[in-house]
Amino acid sequence: MEEVSVVGKKVFVIFSMLLGLVLFSVSVQAADLPVVNWSPNVFSIDGEVSGEHLLDDAARQEIVQAISMKLQKLQQEGRLPFQLKEVSTEINASFNEDSPIGLIPIVVADMSFDSAYRIGEQSYYKSMIISGLDLAFCAGDEESHSWRILGMIPLRYYDTAGSDPRHLLTGELTPEQKSQLYARITRAGIEKGLDFRKAKSLLRNLETRSVSPDTYQVTEVEITSRKASELYGDRIPQIKNLLGGFFTSSYEEKTQHVVYPARTGDAWKNDVSQNLFSMQLNSPAGSLEVSMEAPKHSIQLELTGIAQGDVQMKQVSDVQKNIAYKVWLKKTPVEGSEQAVVTPGTVRQYSKLDETAIQIDPTDVFTELLIEAAKDLGNQKI
């Protein structure tokens, strides 16, 4: 019994030593990781490009909470590639090489696209809610007195209220309902998309506090389709934002390149003297400025066409009507084996009472196809 006790003590001592070595190794590794400050706050941009600003106070709080919870979850699971430090404010009065890296969430799209259709005497409504959130990792830049973007994780998601035949809308959504749906979509997007497993280039930039020479950015989105211009009218700036944003999100995930936020509106100001583009961000806690250099690789997108037409059926139906929709989206330059143009399409079937009893607003269908086109362009094998 005494011999067994001695052996047991030796095993315990060896186990304790091994455990100590493991804990020491983990602590050393953690100490080597860059420190990232997270101030529970979400910033937005002014102007028409982001939409009608569905980010109200309640939605802002829900998004902040969702980011905090996901970061804490990743940290507890050991999947956070940096040391997370929660601070009371992200706005530093001074910028120098010792300033910590900051995680700055930027709402770049909080918009809706509403449409309606009528069958007989009954009107139905749809509301497509778009969420665009760029999680930018920035370092304080003393020269420009701004937060220089080292890289980002762009999240783009959407959902359409009224598209489910089981839950048709017979009235338009209120602004409050839209904001609630926007918050829900954004929360779900954070839970699904906030991940660092494919962000190798971003992580290298965090370690060196610098930007790798190979950077990519959508620098222009052009709408040359006359029909698209007529359909969207004064909302063209938001369509450009939508195309640039969904392409960027898909392209960054596919290529793992360092991709800057799409520069599709007038929010970015060009400082020629410093070769920088900067943008003012706002929040209830105050304002700050983020900046980025001109990318090494510029990407241009062009919406060249949209079309719709009745699908000719072998037999004329008195109860249904089929309509085909299609869009054409082009990317320049073409890389490797990419296709220059993608042309997604769809056919929608509508019930009707007679040949003239159906009236359709195609906004939601075309907007969904544009999102699909942007994602397809960004997700190609190079």
Side-chain angles (χ1 to χ4, degrees), residues 182-291:
Y182 160 75
R184 181 179 65 78
I185 294 168
T186 308
R187 287 199 323 268
I190 292 167
E191 177 59 31
K192 179 181 179 180
L194 181 48
D195 199 317
F196 300 93
R197 286 176 294 184
K198 295 183 179 181
K200 295 179 180 179
S201 297
L202 166 62
L203 299 179
R204 284 196 296 269
N205 289 353
L206 296 185
E207 293 170 356
T208 60
R209 293 180 59 89
S210 62
V211 181
S212 61
D214 264 344
T215 53
Y216 295 75
Q217 184 182 38
V218 174
T219 56
E220 182 180 6
V221 178
E222 193 174 1
I223 310 293
T224 56
S225 165
R226 178 180 58 82
K227 289 184 178 179
S229 297
E230 292 174 351
L231 176 66
Y232 290 105
D234 59 3
R235 302 203 67 180
I236 286 296
Q238 293 168 34
I239 290 298
K240 291 182 177 182
N241 178 0
L242 179 148
L243 291 171
F246 275 93
F247 171 87
T248 296
S249 179
S250 182
Y251 186 77
E252 188 269 346
E253 182 177 3
K254 178 68 175 181
T255 64
Q256 299 184 37
H257 292 325
V258 173
V259 185
Y260 285 142
R263 205 169 71 234
T264 60
D266 57 2
W268 290 100
K269 307 301 180 184
N270 187 8
D271 186 340
V272 180
S273 62
Q274 298 190 62
N275 194 30
L276 287 178
F277 290 88
S278 61
M279 179 170 62
Q280 189 79 13
L281 304 179
N282 303 304
S283 79
S287 300
L288 57 79
E289 187 176 277
V290 294
S291 62

Side-chain angles (χ1 to χ4, degrees), residues 124-139:
Y124 298 95
Y125 300 87
K126 293 182 181 180
S127 186
M128 177 179 287
I129 309 296
I130 312 291
S131 170
L133 181 68
D134 287 342
L135 296 162
F137 290 82
C138 308

Side-chain angles (χ1 to χ4, degrees), residues 329-372:
L329 186 64
K330 178 180 179 181
K331 173 183 178 286
T332 307
V334 175
E335 302 174 72
S337 58
E338 286 184 333
Q339 293 181 337
V341 180
V342 294
T343 59
T346 187
V347 174
R348 299 293 174 91
Q349 186 179 93
Y350 302 91
S351 299
K352 65 178 183 179
L353 302 179
D354 57 55
E355 285 294 332
T356 61
I358 183 169
Q359 293 185 5
I360 302 165
D361 179 351
T363 301
D364 67 305
V365 183
F366 278 124
T367 306
E368 191 168 346
L369 284 177
L370 293 181
I371 291 174
E372 182 181 337

